[in-house]
Amino acid sequence: MHNSGLLFLKAINGEFTAIHFYEHLAKLAPTQEIQNRILEIRNDEMRHFQSFSNSYFSITGHYPTPQITEEMPNNFKQGVLGAFKDEQEAVEFYHFASRQAGNPI
């Protein structure tokens, strides 16, 4: 598989995991207001997932089979700390991927 396809696959798995992560975290939220905000974040992750999946299709000719790559948190605090760390790592990965991909998409 082309390097761009592998980078997209990693991003797709990350977004797929994030969708499930934020859904799980919303169930652990202490208030309805916090739960609603977390579900808004989940909706953003769903849009990212769809965009990456479409880009992957344009590169490979088929849609990916995403996988959850991380465990879900046991409690709300653990989940928030994990989400913060994951978002920081995602920024670094996307910067790396954009330099490596060689594809303007």
Side-chain angles (χ1 to χ4, degrees):
M1 180 181 299
H2 188 268
N3 190 38
S4 296
L6 291 175
L7 292 172
F8 272 114
L9 193 55
K10 181 174 178 169
I12 289 163
N13 285 337
E15 296 298 333
F16 187 73
T17 299
I19 291 166
H20 291 278
F21 177 91
Y22 285 118
E23 183 176 338
H24 179 76
L25 188 61
K27 292 176 185 174
L28 300 173
T31 68
Q32 185 66 45
E33 180 183 356
I34 293 172
Q35 183 181 49
N36 290 343
R37 291 187 186 267
I38 292 169
L39 292 174
E40 288 175 19
I41 294 168
R42 180 182 177 268
N43 288 340
D44 287 341
E45 301 295 354
M46 291 172 71
R47 283 190 294 276
H48 300 160
F49 173 79
Q50 188 63 49
S51 178
F52 286 136
S53 294
N54 289 337
S55 295
Y56 181 85
F57 180 82
S58 73
I59 292 168
T60 66
H62 62 276
Y63 285 102
T65 305
Q67 300 175 6
I68 294 175
T69 57
E70 297 177 24
E71 291 186 28
M72 298 297 117
N74 293 321
N75 60 61
F76 186 74
K77 182 178 178 182
Q78 178 188 26
V80 170
L81 293 174
F84 181 78
K85 181 180 177 237
D86 184 66
E87 291 298 327
Q88 295 300 308
E89 291 172 358
V91 168
E92 292 173 20
F93 168 73
Y94 292 134
H95 286 186
F96 168 79
S98 69
R99 291 189 302 271
Q100 297 299 312
N103 184 332
I105 295 174

